[in-house]
PDB file of all heavy atoms in Angstrom:
ATOM      1  N   ARG S   1     -76.309  95.785  38.679  1.00 98.00           N
ATOM      2  CA  ARG S   1     -76.711  96.969  37.938  1.00 98.00           C
ATOM      3  C   ARG S   1     -78.222  96.947  37.763  1.00 98.00           C
ATOM      4  O   ARG S   1     -78.850  95.891  37.721  1.00 98.00           O
ATOM      5  CB  ARG S   1     -76.008  97.046  36.584  1.00 98.00           C
ATOM      6  CG  ARG S   1     -76.371  95.941  35.601  1.00 98.00           C
ATOM      7  CD  ARG S   1     -75.516  96.055  34.342  1.00 98.00           C
ATOM      8  NE  ARG S   1     -75.834  95.008  33.377  1.00 98.00           N
ATOM      9  CZ  ARG S   1     -75.152  94.795  32.248  1.00 98.00           C
ATOM     10  NH1 ARG S   1     -74.100  95.569  31.943  1.00 98.00           N
ATOM     11  NH2 ARG S   1     -75.506  93.828  31.434  1.00 98.00           N
ATOM     12  N   GLN S   2     -78.773  98.153  37.666  1.00 98.00           N
ATOM     13  CA  GLN S   2     -80.206  98.284  37.459  1.00 98.00           C
ATOM     14  C   GLN S   2     -80.464  99.424  36.497  1.00 98.00           C
ATOM     15  O   GLN S   2     -80.108 100.578  36.774  1.00 98.00           O
ATOM     16  CB  GLN S   2     -80.949  98.499  38.773  1.00 98.00           C
ATOM     17  CG  GLN S   2     -82.456  98.426  38.621  1.00 98.00           C
ATOM     18  CD  GLN S   2     -83.169  98.299  39.947  1.00 98.00           C
ATOM     19  OE1 GLN S   2     -82.645  98.627  40.996  1.00 98.00           O
ATOM     20  NE2 GLN S   2     -84.394  97.793  39.904  1.00 98.00           N
ATOM     21  N   ALA S   3     -81.070  99.089  35.375  1.00 96.00           N
ATOM     22  CA  ALA S   3     -81.465 100.084  34.386  1.00 96.00           C
ATOM     23  C   ALA S   3     -82.898 100.515  34.670  1.00 96.00           C
ATOM     24  O   ALA S   3     -83.672  99.760  35.271  1.00 96.00           O
ATOM     25  CB  ALA S   3     -81.343  99.502  32.983  1.00 96.00           C
ATOM     26  N   PRO S   4     -83.282 101.710  34.229  1.00 92.00           N
ATOM     27  CA  PRO S   4     -84.651 102.184  34.460  1.00 92.00           C
ATOM     28  C   PRO S   4     -85.683 101.197  33.926  1.00 92.00           C
ATOM     29  O   PRO S   4     -85.581 100.733  32.791  1.00 92.00           O
ATOM     30  CB  PRO S   4     -84.692 103.504  33.684  1.00 92.00           C
ATOM     31  CG  PRO S   4     -83.284 103.958  33.649  1.00 92.00           C
ATOM     32  CD  PRO S   4     -82.458 102.718  33.548  1.00 92.00           C
ATOM     33  N   GLY S   5     -86.647 100.858  34.771  1.00 94.00           N
ATOM     34  CA  GLY S   5     -87.717  99.968  34.360  1.00 94.00           C
ATOM     35  C   GLY S   5     -87.355  98.509  34.314  1.00 94.00           C
ATOM     36  O   GLY S   5     -88.170  97.676  33.893  1.00 94.00           O
ATOM     37  N   LYS S   6     -86.135  98.170  34.714  1.00 96.00           N
ATOM     38  CA  LYS S   6     -85.689  96.775  34.672  1.00 96.00           C
ATOM     39  C   LYS S   6     -85.323  96.280  36.066  1.00 96.00           C
ATOM     40  O   LYS S   6     -85.066  97.073  36.972  1.00 96.00           O
ATOM     41  CB  LYS S   6     -84.493  96.629  33.737  1.00 96.00           C
ATOM     42  CG  LYS S   6     -84.818  96.914  32.283  1.00 96.00           C
ATOM     43  CD  LYS S   6     -83.670  96.558  31.377  1.00 96.00           C
ATOM     44  CE  LYS S   6     -84.035  96.752  29.916  1.00 96.00           C
ATOM     45  NZ  LYS S   6     -82.904  96.389  29.016  1.00 96.00           N
ATOM     46  N   GLU S   7     -85.285  94.965  36.212  1.00 95.00           N
ATOM     47  CA  GLU S   7     -84.898  94.381  37.491  1.00 95.00           C
ATOM     48  C   GLU S   7     -83.393  94.488  37.700  1.00 95.00           C
ATOM     49  O   GLU S   7     -82.615  94.594  36.749  1.00 95.00           O
ATOM     50  CB  GLU S   7     -85.315  92.902  37.531  1.00 95.00           C
ATOM     51  CG  GLU S   7     -86.807  92.679  37.566  1.00 95.00           C
ATOM     52  CD  GLU S   7     -87.175  91.232  37.783  1.00 95.00           C
ATOM     53  OE1 GLU S   7     -86.249  90.389  37.860  1.00 95.00           O
ATOM     54  OE2 GLU S   7     -88.363  90.927  37.866  1.00 95.00           O
ATOM     55  N   ARG S   8     -83.008  94.446  38.959  1.00 96.00           N
ATOM     56  CA  ARG S   8     -81.591  94.442  39.305  1.00 96.00           C
ATOM     57  C   ARG S   8     -80.946  93.174  38.772  1.00 96.00           C
ATOM     58  O   ARG S   8     -81.500  92.081  38.906  1.00 96.00           O
ATOM     59  CB  ARG S   8     -81.425  94.529  40.815  1.00 96.00           C
ATOM     60  CG  ARG S   8     -79.986  94.532  41.298  1.00 96.00           C
ATOM     61  CD  ARG S   8     -79.969  94.577  42.810  1.00 96.00           C
ATOM     62  NE  ARG S   8     -80.323  95.876  43.302  1.00 96.00           N
ATOM     63  CZ  ARG S   8     -80.639  96.126  44.582  1.00 96.00           C
ATOM     64  NH1 ARG S   8     -80.661  95.137  45.449  1.00 96.00           N
ATOM     65  NH2 ARG S   8     -80.928  97.331  44.965  1.00 96.00           N
ATOM     66  N   GLU S   9     -79.763  93.326  38.187  1.00 97.00           N
ATOM     67  CA  GLU S   9     -79.066  92.196  37.573  1.00 97.00           C
ATOM     68  C   GLU S   9     -77.696  92.016  38.223  1.00 97.00           C
ATOM     69  O   GLU S   9     -76.943  92.996  38.341  1.00 97.00           O
ATOM     70  CB  GLU S   9     -78.890  92.465  36.074  1.00 97.00           C
ATOM     71  CG  GLU S   9     -78.059  91.414  35.353  1.00 97.00           C
ATOM     72  CD  GLU S   9     -77.696  91.816  33.936  1.00 97.00           C
ATOM     73  OE1 GLU S   9     -77.779  93.016  33.607  1.00 97.00           O
ATOM     74  OE2 GLU S   9     -77.302  90.930  33.156  1.00 97.00           O
ATOM     75  N   GLY S  10     -77.384  90.811  38.617  1.00 97.00           N
ATOM     76  CA  GLY S  10     -76.044  90.507  39.104  1.00 97.00           C
ATOM     77  C   GLY S  10     -75.064  90.478  37.946  1.00 97.00           C
ATOM     78  O   GLY S  10     -75.307  89.772  36.965  1.00 97.00           O
ATOM     79  N   VAL S  11     -73.994  91.232  38.044  1.00 98.00           N
ATOM     80  CA  VAL S  11     -73.027  91.363  36.953  1.00 98.00           C
ATOM     81  C   VAL S  11     -71.811  90.477  37.180  1.00 98.00           C
ATOM     82  O   VAL S  11     -71.400  89.720  36.308  1.00 98.00           O
ATOM     83  CB  VAL S  11     -72.589  92.831  36.811  1.00 98.00           C
ATOM     84  CG1 VAL S  11     -71.491  92.975  35.765  1.00 98.00           C
ATOM     85  CG2 VAL S  11     -73.780  93.712  36.450  1.00 98.00           C
ATOM     86  N   SER S  12     -71.241  90.575  38.389  1.00 98.00           N
ATOM     87  CA  SER S  12     -70.031  89.810  38.683  1.00 98.00           C
ATOM     88  C   SER S  12     -69.861  89.705  40.187  1.00 98.00           C
ATOM     89  O   SER S  12     -70.350  90.561  40.929  1.00 98.00           O
ATOM     90  CB  SER S  12     -68.807  90.504  38.072  1.00 98.00           C
ATOM     91  OG  SER S  12     -67.633  89.762  38.334  1.00 98.00           O
ATOM     92  N   CYS S  13     -69.178  88.655  40.630  1.00 96.00           N
ATOM     93  CA  CYS S  13     -68.923  88.500  42.069  1.00 96.00           C
ATOM     94  C   CYS S  13     -67.550  87.878  42.290  1.00 96.00           C
ATOM     95  O   CYS S  13     -67.009  87.188  41.424  1.00 96.00           O
ATOM     96  CB  CYS S  13     -69.997  87.668  42.745  1.00 96.00           C
ATOM     97  SG  CYS S  13     -70.320  86.104  41.956  1.00 96.00           S
ATOM     98  N   PHE S  14     -67.017  88.177  43.472  1.00 91.00           N
ATOM     99  CA  PHE S  14     -65.693  87.701  43.878  1.00 91.00           C
ATOM    100  C   PHE S  14     -65.896  86.994  45.208  1.00 91.00           C
ATOM    101  O   PHE S  14     -66.191  87.649  46.217  1.00 91.00           O
ATOM    102  CB  PHE S  14     -64.753  88.901  44.015  1.00 91.00           C
ATOM    103  CG  PHE S  14     -63.305  88.543  44.143  1.00 91.00           C
ATOM    104  CD1 PHE S  14     -62.410  88.879  43.149  1.00 91.00           C
ATOM    105  CD2 PHE S  14     -62.815  87.878  45.261  1.00 91.00           C
ATOM    106  CE1 PHE S  14     -61.072  88.570  43.271  1.00 91.00           C
ATOM    107  CE2 PHE S  14     -61.490  87.559  45.381  1.00 91.00           C
ATOM    108  CZ  PHE S  14     -60.620  87.906  44.380  1.00 91.00           C
ATOM    109  N   SER S  15     -65.754  85.679  45.206  1.00 89.00           N
ATOM    110  CA  SER S  15     -66.057  84.904  46.404  1.00 89.00           C
ATOM    111  C   SER S  15     -64.987  85.050  47.466  1.00 89.00           C
ATOM    112  O   SER S  15     -63.790  85.094  47.164  1.00 89.00           O
ATOM    113  CB  SER S  15     -66.202  83.435  46.029  1.00 89.00           C
ATOM    114  OG  SER S  15     -66.349  82.641  47.192  1.00 89.00           O
ATOM    115  N   SER S  16     -65.427  85.091  48.747  1.00 83.00           N
ATOM    116  CA  SER S  16     -64.484  85.135  49.861  1.00 83.00           C
ATOM    117  C   SER S  16     -63.766  83.807  50.017  1.00 83.00           C
ATOM    118  O   SER S  16     -62.731  83.725  50.674  1.00 83.00           O
ATOM    119  CB  SER S  16     -65.212  85.492  51.147  1.00 83.00           C
ATOM    120  OG  SER S  16     -66.208  84.526  51.432  1.00 83.00           O
ATOM    121  N   SER S  17     -64.328  82.758  49.440  1.00 77.00           N
ATOM    122  CA  SER S  17     -63.762  81.419  49.562  1.00 77.00           C
ATOM    123  C   SER S  17     -62.955  81.074  48.323  1.00 77.00           C
ATOM    124  O   SER S  17     -63.515  80.796  47.262  1.00 77.00           O
ATOM    125  CB  SER S  17     -64.882  80.394  49.762  1.00 77.00           C
ATOM    126  OG  SER S  17     -64.358  79.083  49.800  1.00 77.00           O
ATOM    127  N   GLY S  18     -61.653  81.150  48.443  1.00 78.00           N
ATOM    128  CA  GLY S  18     -60.792  80.751  47.332  1.00 78.00           C
ATOM    129  C   GLY S  18     -60.631  81.763  46.233  1.00 78.00           C
ATOM    130  O   GLY S  18     -59.951  81.507  45.244  1.00 78.00           O
ATOM    131  N   GLY S  19     -61.245  82.935  46.388  1.00 83.00           N
ATOM    132  CA  GLY S  19     -61.092  83.974  45.389  1.00 83.00           C
ATOM    133  C   GLY S  19     -61.714  83.664  44.044  1.00 83.00           C
ATOM    134  O   GLY S  19     -61.316  84.218  43.015  1.00 83.00           O
ATOM    135  N   ARG S  20     -62.708  82.783  44.013  1.00 91.00           N
ATOM    136  CA  ARG S  20     -63.363  82.456  42.753  1.00 91.00           C
ATOM    137  C   ARG S  20     -64.196  83.623  42.279  1.00 91.00           C
ATOM    138  O   ARG S  20     -64.696  84.421  43.067  1.00 91.00           O
ATOM    139  CB  ARG S  20     -64.223  81.213  42.926  1.00 91.00           C
ATOM    140  CG  ARG S  20     -63.436  79.965  43.295  1.00 91.00           C
ATOM    141  CD  ARG S  20     -64.361  78.813  43.600  1.00 91.00           C
ATOM    142  NE  ARG S  20     -65.108  78.399  42.415  1.00 91.00           N
ATOM    143  CZ  ARG S  20     -66.089  77.505  42.440  1.00 91.00           C
ATOM    144  NH1 ARG S  20     -66.449  76.946  43.591  1.00 91.00           N
ATOM    145  NH2 ARG S  20     -66.706  77.149  41.339  1.00 91.00           N
ATOM    146  N   THR S  21     -64.374  83.714  40.965  1.00 95.00           N
ATOM    147  CA  THR S  21     -65.167  84.779  40.381  1.00 95.00           C
ATOM    148  C   THR S  21     -66.260  84.191  39.497  1.00 95.00           C
ATOM    149  O   THR S  21     -66.169  83.047  39.037  1.00 95.00           O
ATOM    150  CB  THR S  21     -64.305  85.736  39.545  1.00 95.00           C
ATOM    151  OG1 THR S  21     -63.657  84.990  38.506  1.00 95.00           O
ATOM    152  CG2 THR S  21     -63.259  86.430  40.403  1.00 95.00           C
ATOM    153  N   LYS S  22     -67.279  84.997  39.264  1.00 96.00           N
ATOM    154  CA  LYS S  22     -68.396  84.582  38.421  1.00 96.00           C
ATOM    155  C   LYS S  22     -68.898  85.805  37.679  1.00 96.00           C
ATOM    156  O   LYS S  22     -68.879  86.919  38.228  1.00 96.00           O
ATOM    157  CB  LYS S  22     -69.512  83.969  39.269  1.00 96.00           C
ATOM    158  CG  LYS S  22     -70.656  83.370  38.471  1.00 96.00           C
ATOM    159  CD  LYS S  22     -71.638  82.682  39.414  1.00 96.00           C
ATOM    160  CE  LYS S  22     -72.777  82.026  38.660  1.00 96.00           C
ATOM    161  NZ  LYS S  22     -73.697  81.307  39.566  1.00 96.00           N
ATOM    162  N   TYR S  23     -69.357  85.598  36.439  1.00 97.00           N
ATOM    163  CA  TYR S  23     -69.848  86.692  35.623  1.00 97.00           C
ATOM    164  C   TYR S  23     -71.184  86.323  34.999  1.00 97.00           C
ATOM    165  O   TYR S  23     -71.427  85.159  34.657  1.00 97.00           O
ATOM    166  CB  TYR S  23     -68.848  87.006  34.500  1.00 97.00           C
ATOM    167  CG  TYR S  23     -67.503  87.469  35.005  1.00 97.00           C
ATOM    168  CD1 TYR S  23     -66.484  86.559  35.268  1.00 97.00           C
ATOM    169  CD2 TYR S  23     -67.266  88.823  35.244  1.00 97.00           C
ATOM    170  CE1 TYR S  23     -65.255  86.989  35.745  1.00 97.00           C
ATOM    171  CE2 TYR S  23     -66.040  89.251  35.712  1.00 97.00           C
ATOM    172  CZ  TYR S  23     -65.039  88.330  35.966  1.00 97.00           C
ATOM    173  OH  TYR S  23     -63.826  88.770  36.446  1.00 97.00           O
ATOM    174  N   ALA S  24     -72.024  87.336  34.836  1.00 97.00           N
ATOM    175  CA  ALA S  24     -73.239  87.147  34.050  1.00 97.00           C
ATOM    176  C   ALA S  24     -72.846  86.874  32.602  1.00 97.00           C
ATOM    177  O   ALA S  24     -71.835  87.390  32.108  1.00 97.00           O
ATOM    178  CB  ALA S  24     -74.115  88.389  34.142  1.00 97.00           C
ATOM    179  N   ASP S  25     -73.649  86.076  31.911  1.00 97.00           N
ATOM    180  CA  ASP S  25     -73.347  85.750  30.517  1.00 97.00           C
ATOM    181  C   ASP S  25     -73.221  87.005  29.661  1.00 97.00           C
ATOM    182  O   ASP S  25     -72.428  87.046  28.710  1.00 97.00           O
ATOM    183  CB  ASP S  25     -74.433  84.837  29.944  1.00 97.00           C
ATOM    184  CG  ASP S  25     -74.370  83.432  30.521  1.00 97.00           C
ATOM    185  OD1 ASP S  25     -73.319  83.060  31.096  1.00 97.00           O
ATOM    186  OD2 ASP S  25     -75.380  82.709  30.402  1.00 97.00           O
ATOM    187  N   SER S  26     -73.982  88.019  30.001  1.00 96.00           N
ATOM    188  CA  SER S  26     -74.017  89.249  29.197  1.00 96.00           C
ATOM    189  C   SER S  26     -72.706  90.037  29.246  1.00 96.00           C
ATOM    190  O   SER S  26     -72.491  90.914  28.400  1.00 96.00           O
ATOM    191  CB  SER S  26     -75.176  90.143  29.650  1.00 96.00           C
ATOM    192  OG  SER S  26     -75.052  90.451  31.033  1.00 96.00           O
ATOM    193  N   VAL S  27     -71.843  89.742  30.225  1.00 98.00           N
ATOM    194  CA  VAL S  27     -70.600  90.523  30.349  1.00 98.00           C
ATOM    195  C   VAL S  27     -69.342  89.668  30.274  1.00 98.00           C
ATOM    196  O   VAL S  27     -68.232  90.198  30.320  1.00 98.00           O
ATOM    197  CB  VAL S  27     -70.587  91.339  31.667  1.00 98.00           C
ATOM    198  CG1 VAL S  27     -71.827  92.206  31.776  1.00 98.00           C
ATOM    199  CG2 VAL S  27     -70.436  90.428  32.884  1.00 98.00           C
ATOM    200  N   LYS S  28     -69.491  88.366  30.137  1.00 97.00           N
ATOM    201  CA  LYS S  28     -68.328  87.481  30.088  1.00 97.00           C
ATOM    202  C   LYS S  28     -67.384  87.871  28.957  1.00 97.00           C
ATOM    203  O   LYS S  28     -67.817  88.148  27.845  1.00 97.00           O
ATOM    204  CB  LYS S  28     -68.771  86.033  29.895  1.00 97.00           C
ATOM    205  CG  LYS S  28     -69.203  85.343  31.155  1.00 97.00           C
ATOM    206  CD  LYS S  28     -69.612  83.907  30.882  1.00 97.00           C
ATOM    207  CE  LYS S  28     -70.092  83.230  32.141  1.00 97.00           C
ATOM    208  NZ  LYS S  28     -70.585  81.858  31.890  1.00 97.00           N
ATOM    209  N   GLY S  29     -66.111  87.911  29.275  1.00 97.00           N
ATOM    210  CA  GLY S  29     -65.100  88.266  28.290  1.00 97.00           C
ATOM    211  C   GLY S  29     -64.874  89.755  28.145  1.00 97.00           C
ATOM    212  O   GLY S  29     -63.917  90.179  27.493  1.00 97.00           O
ATOM    213  N   ARG S  30     -65.749  90.560  28.743  1.00 98.00           N
ATOM    214  CA  ARG S  30     -65.619  92.024  28.643  1.00 98.00           C
ATOM    215  C   ARG S  30     -65.359  92.683  29.984  1.00 98.00           C
ATOM    216  O   ARG S  30     -64.707  93.715  30.051  1.00 98.00           O
ATOM    217  CB  ARG S  30     -66.884  92.613  28.011  1.00 98.00           C
ATOM    218  CG  ARG S  30     -67.171  92.096  26.626  1.00 98.00           C
ATOM    219  CD  ARG S  30     -68.349  92.828  25.983  1.00 98.00           C
ATOM    220  NE  ARG S  30     -69.598  92.621  26.699  1.00 98.00           N
ATOM    221  CZ  ARG S  30     -70.281  93.599  27.302  1.00 98.00           C
ATOM    222  NH1 ARG S  30     -69.827  94.840  27.257  1.00 98.00           N
ATOM    223  NH2 ARG S  30     -71.411  93.331  27.906  1.00 98.00           N
ATOM    224  N   PHE S  31     -65.894  92.104  31.062  1.00 98.00           N
ATOM    225  CA  PHE S  31     -65.751  92.681  32.402  1.00 98.00           C
ATOM    226  C   PHE S  31     -64.808  91.806  33.226  1.00 98.00           C
ATOM    227  O   PHE S  31     -64.786  90.580  33.080  1.00 98.00           O
ATOM    228  CB  PHE S  31     -67.099  92.739  33.119  1.00 98.00           C
ATOM    229  CG  PHE S  31     -68.064  93.774  32.592  1.00 98.00           C
ATOM    230  CD1 PHE S  31     -67.885  94.400  31.367  1.00 98.00           C
ATOM    231  CD2 PHE S  31     -69.180  94.126  33.342  1.00 98.00           C
ATOM    232  CE1 PHE S  31     -68.765  95.345  30.895  1.00 98.00           C
ATOM    233  CE2 PHE S  31     -70.083  95.071  32.889  1.00 98.00           C
ATOM    234  CZ  PHE S  31     -69.884  95.671  31.665  1.00 98.00           C
ATOM    235  N   THR S  32     -64.073  92.448  34.133  1.00 98.00           N
ATOM    236  CA  THR S  32     -63.191  91.730  35.047  1.00 98.00           C
ATOM    237  C   THR S  32     -63.346  92.310  36.450  1.00 98.00           C
ATOM    238  O   THR S  32     -63.259  93.523  36.625  1.00 98.00           O
ATOM    239  CB  THR S  32     -61.723  91.851  34.614  1.00 98.00           C
ATOM    240  OG1 THR S  32     -61.566  91.361  33.276  1.00 98.00           O
ATOM    241  CG2 THR S  32     -60.825  91.036  35.545  1.00 98.00           C
ATOM    242  N   ILE S  33     -63.555  91.425  37.420  1.00 97.00           N
ATOM    243  CA  ILE S  33     -63.635  91.851  38.820  1.00 97.00           C
ATOM    244  C   ILE S  33     -62.340  91.444  39.505  1.00 97.00           C
ATOM    245  O   ILE S  33     -61.818  90.345  39.287  1.00 97.00           O
ATOM    246  CB  ILE S  33     -64.857  91.228  39.528  1.00 97.00           C
ATOM    247  CG1 ILE S  33     -65.051  91.826  40.927  1.00 97.00           C
ATOM    248  CG2 ILE S  33     -64.768  89.711  39.591  1.00 97.00           C
ATOM    249  CD1 ILE S  33     -66.373  91.423  41.589  1.00 97.00           C
ATOM    250  N   TYR S  34     -61.803  92.363  40.318  1.00 95.00           N
ATOM    251  CA  TYR S  34     -60.599  92.015  41.052  1.00 95.00           C
ATOM    252  C   TYR S  34     -60.526  92.847  42.326  1.00 95.00           C
ATOM    253  O   TYR S  34     -61.206  93.862  42.456  1.00 95.00           O
ATOM    254  CB  TYR S  34     -59.337  92.181  40.200  1.00 95.00           C
ATOM    255  CG  TYR S  34     -59.055  93.571  39.695  1.00 95.00           C
ATOM    256  CD1 TYR S  34     -58.136  94.408  40.317  1.00 95.00           C
ATOM    257  CD2 TYR S  34     -59.699  94.057  38.556  1.00 95.00           C
ATOM    258  CE1 TYR S  34     -57.872  95.672  39.832  1.00 95.00           C
ATOM    259  CE2 TYR S  34     -59.437  95.318  38.058  1.00 95.00           C
ATOM    260  CZ  TYR S  34     -58.527  96.117  38.698  1.00 95.00           C
ATOM    261  OH  TYR S  34     -58.259  97.385  38.215  1.00 95.00           O
ATOM    262  N   ARG S  35     -59.695  92.390  43.236  1.00 93.00           N
ATOM    263  CA  ARG S  35     -59.639  92.982  44.581  1.00 93.00           C
ATOM    264  C   ARG S  35     -58.235  93.489  44.880  1.00 93.00           C
ATOM    265  O   ARG S  35     -57.249  92.868  44.501  1.00 93.00           O
ATOM    266  CB  ARG S  35     -60.035  91.904  45.602  1.00 93.00           C
ATOM    267  CG  ARG S  35     -60.274  92.371  46.995  1.00 93.00           C
ATOM    268  CD  ARG S  35     -60.162  91.210  47.985  1.00 93.00           C
ATOM    269  NE  ARG S  35     -61.035  90.097  47.671  1.00 93.00           N
ATOM    270  CZ  ARG S  35     -62.142  89.820  48.348  1.00 93.00           C
ATOM    271  NH1 ARG S  35     -62.517  90.577  49.353  1.00 93.00           N
ATOM    272  NH2 ARG S  35     -62.861  88.764  48.035  1.00 93.00           N
ATOM    273  N   ASP S  36     -58.141  94.618  45.565  1.00 93.00           N
ATOM    274  CA  ASP S  36     -56.879  95.127  46.109  1.00 93.00           C
ATOM    275  C   ASP S  36     -57.052  95.191  47.619  1.00 93.00           C
ATOM    276  O   ASP S  36     -57.647  96.137  48.144  1.00 93.00           O
ATOM    277  CB  ASP S  36     -56.555  96.499  45.524  1.00 93.00           C
ATOM    278  CG  ASP S  36     -55.183  97.019  45.977  1.00 93.00           C
ATOM    279  OD1 ASP S  36     -54.692  96.595  47.044  1.00 93.00           O
ATOM    280  OD2 ASP S  36     -54.617  97.859  45.267  1.00 93.00           O
ATOM    281  N   ASN S  37     -56.553  94.174  48.316  1.00 90.00           N
ATOM    282  CA  ASN S  37     -56.757  94.113  49.762  1.00 90.00           C
ATOM    283  C   ASN S  37     -56.080  95.274  50.482  1.00 90.00           C
ATOM    284  O   ASN S  37     -56.606  95.764  51.500  1.00 90.00           O
ATOM    285  CB  ASN S  37     -56.232  92.793  50.310  1.00 90.00           C
ATOM    286  CG  ASN S  37     -57.094  91.614  49.900  1.00 90.00           C
ATOM    287  OD1 ASN S  37     -58.266  91.785  49.546  1.00 90.00           O
ATOM    288  ND2 ASN S  37     -56.528  90.432  49.904  1.00 90.00           N
ATOM    289  N   ALA S  38     -54.959  95.723  49.985  1.00 94.00           N
ATOM    290  CA  ALA S  38     -54.246  96.824  50.645  1.00 94.00           C
ATOM    291  C   ALA S  38     -55.084  98.105  50.648  1.00 94.00           C
ATOM    292  O   ALA S  38     -54.977  98.923  51.566  1.00 94.00           O
ATOM    293  CB  ALA S  38     -52.915  97.057  49.959  1.00 94.00           C
ATOM    294  N   LYS S  39     -55.913  98.254  49.624  1.00 96.00           N
ATOM    295  CA  LYS S  39     -56.766  99.449  49.530  1.00 96.00           C
ATOM    296  C   LYS S  39     -58.193  99.162  49.988  1.00 96.00           C
ATOM    297  O   LYS S  39     -59.043 100.054  49.918  1.00 96.00           O
ATOM    298  CB  LYS S  39     -56.777  99.965  48.095  1.00 96.00           C
ATOM    299  CG  LYS S  39     -55.418 100.458  47.624  1.00 96.00           C
ATOM    300  CD  LYS S  39     -55.486 101.035  46.220  1.00 96.00           C
ATOM    301  CE  LYS S  39     -54.129 101.583  45.792  1.00 96.00           C
ATOM    302  NZ  LYS S  39     -54.172 102.152  44.413  1.00 96.00           N
TER     303      LYS S  39
END
């Protein structure tokens, strides 16, 4: 995400290896990343 006047920030990622996920501290516990391979 990128807000006006601010640097781009990584929010969350879903690794291709083992399906691991990672979240920025600012969104932990509030955001969830997930994948639907069929779609």
Side-chain angles (χ1 to χ4, degrees):
R1 65 185 180 187
Q2 189 166 21
K6 295 189 176 180
E7 292 187 358
R8 180 182 286 167
E9 175 190 18
V11 175
S12 181
C13 52
F14 192 114
S15 174
S16 60
S17 176
R20 297 174 66 187
T21 59
K22 186 175 182 177
Y23 297 90
D25 289 343
S26 57
V27 306
K28 278 181 182 176
R30 300 186 297 116
F31 288 15
T32 303
I33 188 170
Y34 61 100
R35 191 200 305 254
D36 185 336
N37 289 339
K39 295 183 177 180

